[in-house]
């Protein structure tokens, strides 16, 4: 099962691994707002189960920079742009403008600025950034079953992202033929998100942004497959990146 993990070909890249939905923590000043919402915080709407662990494994395997957050997306969604209708949840949307700006100043802007600064520094040093944003998705949403184990989200107009995701998918298929890997599923990779934001600041030759999505059914109910993915996804990413990427 295990793949070629040679570092050959990877030195031209600078890996940034992020996790915007790594936890369901509500900071003390806002705890009262969520006093009766424990079940919601513990659900897929509060955080992405398993995404933080996977981000840590990817960063270790790729010797990459790791930027993560454990504040719940129900306080502020770090993967949404300023002005997006889902930047704030129904609970925090009703706060005063001053309070919402305080949340942005403490939790949102520092996170986004750190990731952008890492990318800018790497590009200035002649490196090409490969940014993997680690997420997970609920196996069923609004009565519709999601038929995939892993999703790779990218912008179809950026050749480097298209090629890398194709190579990552084919590497996974060779190692684990039964694994259901789909591209731009369950979401479109060009939609709003941290990768979409960074694409507006860096050219395709300087920046590759991919969102990794893992089915939460595996994370929460299939320990054997989750353990397998914990080794396979980092290993297969390294193998895919070692091949030519336009």
């Amino acid at each position: 099962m295990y793949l070629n993990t040679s570092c050959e070909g990877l030195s031209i890249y600078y890996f940034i691994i992020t996790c915007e939905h790594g936890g369901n923590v509500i900071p003390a000043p806002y705890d009262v707002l969520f006093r009766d919402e424990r079940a919601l915080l513990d659900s897929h709407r509060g955080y992405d189960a398993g995404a933080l662990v996977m981000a840590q494994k990817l960063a270790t395997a790729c010797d990459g920079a790791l930027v993560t957050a454990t504040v719940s997306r129900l306080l502020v969604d770090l993967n949404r742009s300023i002005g997006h209708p889902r930047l704030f949840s129904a609970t925090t949307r009703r706060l005063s403008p001053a309070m919402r700006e305080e949340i942005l100043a403490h939790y949102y802007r520092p996170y986004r600025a750190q990731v952008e600064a890492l990318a800018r520094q790497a590009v200035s040093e002649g490196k090409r950034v490969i940014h993997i944003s680690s997420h997970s998705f609920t196996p069923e949403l609004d009565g519709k079953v999601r038929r995939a184990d892993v999703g790779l989200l990218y912008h179809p107009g950026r050749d480097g992202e298209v090629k890398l995701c194709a190579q990552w998918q084919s590497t996974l298929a060779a190692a684990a033929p039964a694994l259901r890997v789909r591209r731009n599923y369950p979401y479109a990779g060009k939609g709003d998100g941290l990768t979409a934001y960074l694409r507006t600041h860096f050219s395709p030759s300087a920046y590759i942004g991919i969102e990794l999505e893992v089915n939460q059914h595996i994370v929460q109910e299939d320990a054997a497959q989750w353990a397998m993915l914990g080794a396979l996804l980092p290993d297969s990413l390294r193998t895919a990146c070692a091949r030519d990427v336009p």
Side-chain angles (χ1 to χ4, degrees):
M1 169 186 299
Y2 293 100
L3 310 169
N4 172 21
T5 57
S6 165
C7 288
E8 185 177 355
L10 299 184
S11 60
I12 61 172
Y13 300 121
Y14 182 80
F15 288 88
I16 300 175
I17 313 298
T18 68
C19 183
E20 290 70 61
H21 303 150
N24 55 1
V25 174
I26 297 297
Y30 309 101
D31 195 46
V32 65
L33 299 172
F34 296 89
R35 183 176 297 159
D36 300 320
E37 297 189 4
R38 188 68 257 169
L40 187 63
L41 285 166
D42 290 340
S43 74
H44 70 95
R45 299 191 187 282
Y47 77 117
D48 283 4
L52 179 59
V53 170
M54 185 58 71
Q56 292 166 338
K57 290 180 180 293
L58 289 166
T60 298
C62 297
D63 193 24
L66 177 64
V67 184
T68 65
T70 56
V71 170
S72 175
R73 68 205 294 181
L74 293 176
L75 185 75
V76 61
D77 192 334
L78 304 183
N79 204 37
R80 291 290 170 261
S81 299
I82 300 289
H84 191 282
R86 288 192 293 172
L87 175 66
F88 292 101
S89 67
T91 300
T92 51
R93 199 175 302 132
R94 63 173 183 258
L95 297 175
S96 69
M99 291 184 71
R100 294 200 302 271
E101 180 54 39
E102 184 178 88
I103 291 171
L104 293 176
H106 279 85
Y107 305 103
Y108 180 92
R109 297 189 199 280
Y111 182 93
R112 305 270 292 210
Q114 183 181 2
V115 178
E116 184 174 347
L118 284 168
R120 198 168 297 285
Q121 178 66 31
V123 172
S124 72
E125 295 173 355
K127 295 281 189 178
R128 190 178 196 187
V129 171
I130 292 183
H131 171 205
I132 307 296
S133 175
S134 177
H135 294 268
S136 64
F137 62 92
T138 183
E140 181 176 338
L141 184 66
D142 299 332
K144 185 175 182 179
V145 175
R146 271 86 172 267
R147 302 190 184 284
D149 299 316
V150 174
L152 304 176
L153 314 186
Y154 59 94
H155 194 299
R158 297 183 55 122
D159 290 344
E161 296 183 14
V162 174
K163 184 70 177 293
L164 180 54
C165 284
Q167 290 175 177
W168 198 359
Q169 184 183 36
S170 66
T171 303
L172 288 166
L179 190 68
R180 300 174 301 172
V181 181
R182 297 181 64 175
R183 286 182 279 162
N184 278 335
Y185 183 92
Y187 310 107
K190 65 179 181 180
D192 185 56
L194 180 54
T195 54
Y197 168 79
L198 292 172
R199 287 183 195 118
T200 66
H201 288 69
F202 300 102
S203 70
S205 63
Y207 173 83
I208 291 174
I210 294 170
E211 290 185 69
L212 169 68
E213 294 274 359
V214 176
N215 193 320
Q216 291 172 8
H217 171 76
I218 295 173
V219 178
Q220 297 173 320
E221 299 183 37
D222 191 337
Q225 192 171 22
W226 178 228
M228 181 273 288
L229 284 182
L232 180 61
L233 286 171
D235 216 8
S236 58
L237 173 61
R238 287 166 54 90
T239 299
C241 291
R243 297 157 63 185
D244 288 340
V245 177

